[in-house]
Amino acid sequence: EWEDDDAPVKPPHFNSARSVNFSPNGKLVVSASWDKNILIADAETGKVKLTLRGHNGRDGCICDCFPSGGLATKETKPGCPVVGHANYVFDAAFSPDGLHIVSASWDKTLLLWSAEEETVKFRLKGHSAGVYAVVYSPNGKLIASASADKTVRIWKSSTTISKEQVEASEQSRLHPSRAPLYTLMGHTAPVFAVRFTPDSSKLISGGDDENIKVWDSQTGDLCKTLATNKGRIRGLAVAPDPHRKNIGKKTVQRAVSME
């Protein structure tokens, strides 16, 4: 819990927290960590309401994992009660309706969770390297991810499971999986940030190649490339006016027009 006095407080994560995001109503926060766990906590008190556990050798995990959360994760064991990520979790975000959470991990996957119980709805597979960032579109219909494989991928966010997917999941004993809707190629270095415009029609991406790219989220087509040449891009924020955006990288912040 969060305290105002000098009493020691036990950290909710046992390794570095990589991202923290609010729920749409501002009452909850979700945090992603290198301990492979995702926590949902009360934004006012800091009390953890739900832990979405990863394979970390703790918290009920029976796998031969590295407790430190290291990269060299071994194979998970069949029958392990833990359903989460097998490596570092870099990002997690609420859906616009607050009912689901999507998480991005160095295990190359995204997981689509229930925000109310430790249940994975879908495993989103397609990246060939770790995933740094993930975001929902404002209309809730799409998910976008940014990866060390130099791509951005767009996915359907629907949690509806077909009969065929249920049967395949039961047979393989794995979570239902989904391939990306579009794979956006064009960056020449790892991509660290993705954001949708307020109307969900465009997707903005940026990374180590110092370029900002604007994509059509409905077709996956590249609309334009904005070369900043001002250093690596670690974060993006889109202004309420869909024709402008603000980008932040390290301690530098710049505003760039999309026109």
Side-chain angles (χ1 to χ4, degrees), residues 10-216:
K10 181 180 179 181
H13 288 290
F14 60 86
N15 206 326
S16 300
R18 304 306 299 177
S19 77
V20 179
N21 290 299
F22 281 97
S23 62
N25 63 11
K27 295 182 179 181
L28 300 172
V29 293
V30 59
S31 58
S33 171
W34 279 4
D35 65 9
K36 309 177 189 176
N37 288 342
I38 301 154
L39 302 181
I40 300 173
D42 186 292
E44 183 175 353
T45 67
K47 183 178 180 180
V48 175
K49 292 182 170 293
L50 181 64
T51 299
L52 308 178
R53 297 171 296 165
H55 295 278
N56 54 32
R58 304 188 185 191
D59 305 315
C61 176
I62 62 172
C63 303
D64 189 11
C65 304
F66 287 80
S68 64
L71 292 177
T73 305
K74 297 181 181 178
E75 292 294 327
T76 57
K77 290 182 179 179
C80 179
V82 173
V83 297
H85 287 292
N87 218 316
Y88 295 159
V89 186
F90 276 88
D91 200 9
F94 280 95
S95 59
D97 61 10
L99 298 179
H100 297 94
I101 285 171
V102 65
S103 55
S105 171
W106 199 249
D107 66 11
K108 308 177 186 178
T109 72
L110 310 176
L111 292 181
L112 186 53
W113 305 78
S114 166
E116 300 177 344
E117 59 184 6
E118 193 181 6
T119 302
V120 172
K121 300 293 187 179
F122 274 99
R123 184 179 298 273
L124 309 183
K125 299 173 65 176
H127 282 293
S128 60
V131 190
Y132 287 120
V134 65
V135 65
Y136 271 93
S137 61
N139 64 14
K141 295 181 179 180
L142 299 173
I143 291 169
S145 55
S147 170
D149 66 10
K150 307 177 187 178
T151 71
V152 174
R153 305 197 187 216
I154 298 176
W155 318 74
K156 290 183 178 180
S157 64
S158 171
T159 56
T160 302
I161 303 176
S162 67
K163 179 180 178 181
E164 291 76 14
Q165 288 173 317
V166 171
E167 292 175 349
S169 176
E170 291 176 347
Q171 185 174 4
S172 65
R173 297 184 181 180
L174 298 174
H175 307 304
S177 63
R178 177 180 295 158
L181 189 62
Y182 301 113
T183 297
L184 313 182
M185 303 176 68
H187 283 286
T188 59
V191 189
F192 281 87
V194 280
R195 283 292 183 271
F196 284 93
T197 54
D199 62 1
S200 301
S201 67
K202 299 291 190 297
L203 180 67
I204 321 298
S205 61
D208 274 1
D209 61 4
E210 304 182 10
N211 290 328
I212 299 169
K213 293 186 179 292
V214 183
W215 312 84
D216 186 318

